[in-house]
Amino acid sequence: MHQLTLAEIVRGLQDKQFSSEELTGALLARIADVDTRLNSFISVTGDLAIADAKAADARRAKGESDPLLGAPIAHKDLFCTEGVLTTCGSKILHNFKAPYDATVVAKLKEAGAVSLGKLNMDEFAMGSANESSHFGPVKNPWDTERVPGGSSGGSAAAVAARLIPAATGTDTGGSIRQPAALTNLTGIKPTYGRVSRWGMIAYASSLDQGGPMARTAEDCALLLGAMAGFDPKDSTSIDQPVDDYLAVLAQPLAGLRIGLPKEYFGAGLDPRIADKVMAVVEELKKLGATVKDISLPNLQHAIPAYYVIAPAEASSNLSRFDGVRFGYRCEDPKDLMDLYKRSRAEGFGDEVKRRIMVGTYALSAGYYDAYYLKAQKIRRLIKNDFVSAFEGVDVILGPTTPNLAWKLGEKGGDPVSAYLEDIYTITANLAGIPGLSMPAGFVDGLPVGVQLLGNYFQEGRLLNVAHQYQQVTDWHQQAPSGF
Ligand code: GLN
């Protein structure tokens, strides 16, 4: 049963081939059996899941027919879940039970989806390898000596190893797309404002966006349809109707205009990944797409701009973790200042501290203009590059990552080399446009992802292209051996 995709599960539940309770029980047993090898879950909420599964079965028996009714999922541990541990991968929240559900969690609950637990992640979503979690690193099911990507590494490993059919993730600079690429999944970061950030613990508020991770584009469409929508509780949420993502999947690709940015194929890209990307282009041409060379001239400035803006916002967002209101508190504080200092010193890990320091520096008087303001100007140039590119093409295609999944610990002492891995993903967050990563083959037994970027609110188009590609290829169906 664990091999089924989310769409197959939906059909199985509809046709009464199995109940949600049976399915949930089977998956929980498998998680208990297998996750010791991966460390993808921080909390498994078995009793709650079985109760929710029974409730979903009862709703179905009464005639309700929401497609996700009884479908098992799990949430990145950055989404607040009422009464359930919500750690954000950090010691500072190791004992935090959220008092309310994030909008995404509430919407999926309402649709009848059953959450099996909370998934491991880089501390406060800062990272590309899931090695900065207080709860230990996550292993990549394709090679357990390698990283699964990050920061949604728990979501990626759990779905890739078939512990759950789909999961939520969040993406501030690539944290849905990059782990999806390194574990052979499909994942989409929607347009900024499409999915509510209410109850998503903030990393960099102007970049953060939640989205689905699954094996197929169809599964992502199913989940995104339930996650997306206007939320008055999030002031950056956009009041625009949600497209029917399932309905657009079948649209033919004839006439699709694909842009290939020349800057995406320069130095730094593993040539074996470049070959896979070009093979995808050839396949899409056979489906009727046309291809055009384009330029995104400000790509070279993206990493420096992102690594000023994201830490600046993080330094402000993370000031709320003070040892007073919630979370970890140091023992025997001498006075209030000592309590603040030691709770934060003991509660945050190294990468989080590094970013708080960089961000505080960039925002301080005297440096604000030189760093933060300049980074914001670059951000606008990057956005403008996309606006002009989308005048001539429908989607932009390229690699999701410059390299394959690396060995655990390999980049530990070198944060900048990890930051460079984000080169192809962060621009979508800086501009606010949607981006999708899909499986595109293997090099040395490790998955390769291809990224599709679209204009604002073109999630449907990206899912459509990925779905059509998945009708003529079977990369996305490959499973890691041993899982
Ligand atoms: N790797 C990037 C970072 O560390 C992106 C993380 C994310 O998208 N949450 O900031």
Side-chain angles (χ1 to χ4, degrees), residues 322-325 329-330 332-344:
D322 56 6
V324 175
R325 285 170 289 184
R329 178 177 298 177
C330 69
D332 301 325
K334 279 202 309 282
D335 53 30
L336 185 62
M337 210 31 109
D338 186 46
L339 178 139
Y340 286 151
K341 281 188 183 163
R342 280 203 292 124
S343 298
R344 286 169 68 83

Side-chain angles (χ1 to χ4, degrees), residues 270-290:
D270 183 329
R272 300 168 302 175
I273 294 181
D275 288 349
K276 298 289 168 195
V277 176
M278 293 322 290
V280 173
V281 172
E282 287 312 311
E283 207 61 54
L284 292 174
K285 275 191 193 162
K286 285 191 219 154
L287 297 176
T290 58

Side-chain angles (χ1 to χ4, degrees), residues 76 125-128 150-151 170-175 203 306-307 355 422:
K76 185 175 183 179
M126 297 174 189
S128 312
S151 64
T170 64
D171 191 311
T172 303
S175 282
Y203 160 18
Y306 173 88
Y307 278 98
R355 299 203 189 190
D422 300 333

Side-chain angles (χ1 to χ4, degrees), residues 1 9 29 62 125 131 153 181 192 294 310 313 327 395 411 439 442 455:
M1 232 172 345
I9 285 172
K62 280 200 205 124
E131 290 181 291
Y192 183 76
I294 61 164
E313 294 186 18
V395 299
K411 291 185 194 280
F442 297 86
N455 211 340

Side-chain angles (χ1 to χ4, degrees), residues 20-32 41-55 72-74 84-85 114-118:
S20 176
E21 188 183 352
E22 281 165 341
L23 176 64
T24 304
L27 293 181
L28 287 169
R30 205 171 124 75
I31 292 167
F41 277 82
I42 291 175
S43 309
V44 178
T45 49
D47 293 346
L48 214 59
I50 293 292
D52 287 350
K54 283 184 180 163
I73 55 155
V84 170
L85 205 60
V114 174
S115 171
L116 273 56
K118 304 295 291 291

